[in-house]
Amino acid sequence: MRTAALTTVIAAAALAAAACTSKQPGQPSPSSGQSAGSGASSSPSSGAANGLAGLNACSLLTDDEAKQVVPGVNPPIDQGELGGTGTSNCQWNKSVTNGAGGVAFSITVRPAQGLEDVNPNGGQTTKTTSNAGRQVVLLTNSGSGISCIAAVAVGSGRVDIEARTLRGATTEEMCTIVEKTDGFVEPKLPAS
């Protein structure tokens, strides 16, 4: 499912971020899980109320779907609670080949952190709404490297979809990975 509003915002954010983008040599590395926010946790009951408590991030994207997002991607790595207690993080990687193509993309389920907890970490944020009616904060180029993160509201919690690279790609390409991933993930999320 392509979200027209998200597509428009991704394109605009990528253009705005292009002036700030710099390519750095190196391999993509797993995100700290904190780049899209590490706000204070709410009570455990808030996670249960929004349907995200106990939801494994790796269950939101099948192997076939991940290969449609990034052909040649490696199997997922379940990173547990990377991103804080109560979270679930899953990451997919594609290695650098001939100096290009290296990317890491991930899904982080955050039952106790909402959109107000998104930490820009030097990046640019844009608020929008998906076609499914969910509030989204799009964050580009936070931290190091070239990145795009869509923080998708699910009740009082959120699900972050992130793509990051250190070489051979643009912010717009990272946002395209996020958009494709969102198309598979959002229909599987609990109702807000």
Side-chain angles (χ1 to χ4, degrees), residues 77-127:
I77 302 166
D78 188 334
Q79 300 192 103
E81 291 186 332
L82 181 68
T85 303
T87 65
S88 173
N89 180 278
C90 193
Q91 181 168 313
W92 293 260
N93 295 297
K94 182 176 180 186
S95 300
V96 172
T97 305
N98 297 324
V103 65
F105 69 101
S106 64
I107 300 169
T108 306
V109 177
R110 298 179 183 274
Q113 296 173 356
L115 294 183
E116 68 280 358
D117 298 314
V118 171
N119 178 0
N121 194 20
Q124 298 175 345
T125 59
T126 307
K127 294 180 181 180

Side-chain angles (χ1 to χ4, degrees), residues 22-117:
S22 66
K23 295 184 181 184
Q24 299 175 2
Q27 297 287 335
S29 61
S31 141
S32 69
Q34 298 294 330
S35 62
S38 56
S41 294
S42 302
S43 67
S45 62
S46 67
N50 60 34
L52 294 176
L55 179 62
N56 185 297
C58 291
S59 71
L60 295 173
L61 193 67
T62 68
D63 288 341
D64 287 340
E65 291 167 343
K67 289 176 184 173
Q68 289 177 51
V69 173
V70 176
V73 70
N74 294 320
I77 302 166
D78 188 334
Q79 300 192 103
E81 291 186 332
L82 181 68
T85 303
T87 65
S88 173
N89 180 278
C90 193
Q91 181 168 313
W92 293 260
N93 295 297
K94 182 176 180 186
S95 300
V96 172
T97 305
N98 297 324
V103 65
F105 69 101
S106 64
I107 300 169
T108 306
V109 177
R110 298 179 183 274
Q113 296 173 356
L115 294 183
E116 68 280 358
D117 298 314

